[in-house]
Amino acid sequence: HIDNTYRGDLTAYSMTYNELRSAAYLQLEYSPTEKLVLSAGLRAENNRNRLYETLRNNYWHWLPSFSLLYSPKADHQLRLSYRERLNYPNYRYLDPFVRYRTDSLTRSEGNPYLKPEHIRAIELEYSYTSDAILLQVRPYVKFYSNQIQLAHSLSDNNVLVERYQNIGRSNYYGVSAELETEFCDWFVPSLYTDLHYTHFPNPAYNGWTWDFQLDLNFYLPLDFEIYAAFTYTTKDYRHDGWEREGALLDEISITKDFFHSALQITLAVSDLIPDHLTTYYHNADYQMETHSNLFSPYAFLKIAYRFAKGKKLKRVQRDLIQEKENEL
C-alpha cells in the first residue's frame, strides 16, 4: 500500500496505490549421472494493482524454465539455462495524472494500464566455488517484449509529451561476472560487473553499456550485519537515445538475526546519493538533453522469517536459495 504526494511547479496531487503479487512454481529434476542434472520448471505469477477504487489491473503470467547442469569436479560447474521472468513497472510510472512544468511546454502523462516487461533469457554460466572464493561468469542473450521505456513526442502545439509505455522489443547480448571473497569471518566484499550490447529494431539507438556494483558485508557481534552497495552505469541505451548515471550509494542497511538466523529484521536507506541523471533523446523532430535527479532517498523496514524442515542449511546454500528467489 503506497500513498504518494506530488508537488510540482504548477500542480499538486496525491494518489493511493495498492498491489498484491502472488506466485507459485514447480520444478522437476532428473540426474542420469552424478555429474549431470536436467531440470524443468513452471512459475505462475499473478499481479493485482489498484489506483483509487476505479483503475484496476489483474494479470496472470506463465513462465517456463529449463536448465542443464554439468559438474566435472566438485568445485566447478557449467550450466546452460533458459528462463522467463517479469519486470513490473514502478508505481510512479502508473500514476494517472497529467503534470505540466513551469513553462507549460512539457507535459508528463501517466499510464495506469502499463504492463510488466517480459524477458526471455538464455545463459551459459561457469562457476567456481571454494572456501573463500565464489566466481561466476555468464555469457547471455536476453529478449525483451513489452519493454517499459519513457516515450517522447511533440504535440500539435509544440508541447513535449512524456509518457511511460510498453514500447516494442529489444535484445541484449552480453557477459556478466561476479566475484565474492571472504577475507575473514566478519568481512565479505563482492564485485559484480556487466557488459552488454543493446539492439533495437531501429539501429540508430544501439550501443554498449557497462554496469558496476560493489557490495560490502560486515558481520558483527550479536548477529548484526551492515551492508553497503555502490553502483555505476555508463550508458543505458533506450529506444530513442540514452541515459547516463553517476556514481551512486545505492543502499546501506543494518540487519539483526534472531533464532539462529531464522528471523531477520533489516532497516535500510536507499539512494542516499541522488541519481544525477543525464538523458539524451533524438528523433526526426527534435534533439534534447536533460539533467535531473531521478529519485530521492527513502528508508524501508524488512522482516523475514524462514523455516526449513530437516537438516539445517549452510549459509552459502541459503544465500544461493535467496538469490534464486530474488531472480524469480
Side-chain angles (χ1 to χ4, degrees):
H1 174 85
I2 296 174
D3 290 309
N4 182 57
T5 300
Y6 174 85
R7 292 180 177 85
D9 296 323
L10 300 177
T11 58
Y13 68 84
S14 61
M15 60 178 281
T16 300
Y17 175 72
N18 287 280
E19 180 177 3
L20 174 64
R21 298 182 195 174
S22 53
Y25 63 91
L26 172 69
Q27 182 168 315
L28 301 176
E29 292 188 354
Y30 171 66
S31 181
T33 67
E34 293 183 356
K35 297 182 178 181
L36 185 63
V37 178
L38 307 176
S39 65
L42 181 64
R43 179 180 176 89
E45 288 193 17
N46 179 253
N47 177 268
R48 297 183 181 183
N49 58 60
R50 184 182 68 205
L51 286 167
Y52 304 107
E53 297 294 333
T54 54
L55 300 175
R56 298 170 181 263
N57 291 325
N58 187 0
Y59 299 113
W60 271 102
H61 296 275
W62 302 90
L63 309 171
S65 63
F66 308 93
S67 74
L68 185 153
L69 175 64
Y70 177 65
S71 305
K73 296 181 180 180
D75 51 357
H76 295 268
Q77 288 187 341
L78 190 65
R79 183 193 302 270
L80 178 64
S81 65
Y82 169 86
R83 63 177 180 171
E84 299 185 17
R85 63 183 179 89
L86 302 176
N87 275 348
Y88 290 93
N90 189 288
Y91 76 93
R92 296 180 179 90
Y93 306 162
L94 302 173
D95 88 59
F97 297 97
V98 175
R99 304 189 299 272
Y100 287 89
R101 305 296 171 83
T102 331
D103 55 9
S104 297
L105 292 177
T106 303
R107 184 173 77 239
S108 298
E109 297 181 352
N111 187 357
Y113 299 106
L114 197 64
K115 296 180 180 180
E117 296 176 333
H118 195 150
I119 305 169
R120 298 171 175 85
I122 301 174
E123 297 180 345
L124 179 63
E125 177 187 291
Y126 166 76
S127 62
Y128 168 76
T129 306
S130 69
D131 294 337
I133 295 177
L134 171 62
L135 173 65
Q136 294 179 331
V137 180
R138 302 185 192 92
Y140 63 82
V141 181
K142 296 180 181 180
F143 306 96
Y144 281 69
S145 57
N146 283 333
Q147 190 163 20
I148 300 172
Q149 293 203 347
L150 185 62
H152 292 78
S153 60
L154 287 178
S155 65
D156 295 336
N157 53 357
N158 288 324
V159 173
L160 178 65
V161 181
E162 301 177 338
R163 190 170 191 255
Y164 281 96
Q165 293 182 343
N166 296 111
I167 304 173
R169 58 184 176 83
S170 65
N171 302 332
Y172 293 75
Y173 309 93
V175 58
S176 64
E178 183 175 353
L179 175 64
E180 181 176 311
T181 61
E182 187 172 344
F183 288 106
C184 54
D185 293 338
W186 59 271
F187 177 49
V188 179
S190 62
L191 175 66
Y192 173 83
T193 185
D194 179 90
L195 176 66
H196 63 264
Y197 182 79
T198 307
H199 179 267
F200 293 96
N202 187 342
Y205 310 122
N206 299 344
W208 288 94
T209 297
W210 177 61
D211 293 327
F212 169 86
Q213 179 173 336
L214 175 64
D215 293 345
L216 303 177
N217 289 275
F218 300 89
Y219 300 99
L220 306 179
L222 303 177
D223 291 329
F224 279 96
E225 176 185 346
I226 294 179
Y227 167 77
F230 303 85
T231 60
Y232 179 78
T233 301
T234 52
K235 291 182 179 180
D236 186 10
Y237 282 87
R238 308 161 57 89
H239 72 287
D240 60 353
W242 50 262
E243 296 179 348
R244 185 199 302 275
E245 297 179 359
L248 175 67
L249 177 55
D250 191 49
E251 180 181 315
I252 185 168
S253 66
I254 183 168
T255 299
K256 177 70 171 72
D257 288 353
F258 300 90
F259 308 121
H260 304 288
S261 300
L263 174 64
Q264 292 182 329
I265 299 179
T266 301
L267 178 62
V269 180
S270 294
D271 293 350
L272 275 173
I273 300 177
D275 187 0
H276 296 287
L277 187 70
T278 301
T279 59
Y280 178 58
Y281 305 99
H282 55 93
N283 58 26
D285 299 322
Y286 64 92
Q287 294 187 1
M288 180 184 69
E289 184 176 3
T290 64
H291 301 268
S292 62
N293 290 335
L294 192 58
F295 300 115
S296 30
Y298 65 94
F300 66 88
L301 175 67
K302 177 181 177 182
I303 301 175
Y305 183 77
R306 299 176 178 87
F307 40 118
K309 181 179 179 181
K311 189 176 180 180
K312 184 179 179 181
L313 295 176
K314 294 182 180 179
R315 187 176 186 91
V316 173
Q317 293 175 316
R318 181 168 160 175
D319 289 344
L320 291 175
I321 291 174
Q322 290 180 244
E323 181 182 349
K324 289 182 180 179
E325 290 175 348
N326 292 333
E327 290 176 352
L328 291 172

